[in-house]
Amino acid sequence: SLYDYFSSKNELLTFVVSRMFAPTVEAFDELLRMDVSAAEKLRRIARMALASVEQHRASLLLFLREDLRSVTESSRLEFRPQVIETLSAIFTQGIADGYFRQEE
């Protein structure tokens, strides 16, 4: 029984959402270490994110239901700091390399 591992439906949904997004976020980290331009890193992140959405389309539509949104929000927000840190590092690299310019 699933309830041997999860105490509630909410706990199960939180686990599923976390497991669904973890590989994409881990791939972002690997990409950050690659020796490619910042612009190429952003292109690859966009492709990975779109592929992840396509792969998990049915689940994402389920999790966007109003009655499940609050349950899964903490899982979705779990990766936000890591994604922001990755994007920040890419933009910093792009500015340093002259690919991007910092707006003032």
Side-chain angles (χ1 to χ4, degrees):
S1 168
L2 286 175
Y3 290 110
D4 289 340
Y5 301 98
F6 302 100
S7 62
S8 66
K9 179 176 91 172
N10 292 354
E11 190 177 318
L12 172 62
L13 289 172
T14 299
F15 175 79
V16 169
V17 171
S18 180
R19 296 291 294 212
M20 194 168 49
F21 288 112
T24 301
V25 174
E26 289 170 11
F28 286 4
D29 285 343
E30 290 175 26
L31 180 64
L32 189 58
R33 294 186 294 276
M34 290 181 168
D35 189 24
V36 296
S37 72
E40 179 59 25
K41 288 178 182 178
L42 287 178
R43 279 195 238 13
R44 291 183 187 190
I45 280 179
R47 283 193 297 266
M48 281 189 270
L50 290 172
S52 179
V53 167
E54 183 62 31
Q55 178 184 3
H56 301 293
R57 176 184 296 216
S59 298
L60 291 171
L61 290 173
L62 173 68
F63 297 142
L64 289 175
R65 281 185 13 196
E66 190 64 39
D67 58 326
L68 296 178
R69 193 174 299 163
S70 64
V71 173
T72 60
E73 184 172 2
S74 64
S75 297
R76 288 182 283 129
L77 295 177
E78 168 187 349
F79 298 108
R80 179 179 260 168
Q82 192 174 353
V83 170
I84 289 173
E85 185 178 316
T86 299
L87 291 173
S88 178
I90 291 171
F91 285 118
T92 299
Q93 174 193 347
I95 291 168
D97 293 346
Y99 284 109
F100 308 131
R101 60 187 167 100
Q102 189 168 2
E103 289 292 322
E104 302 195 21

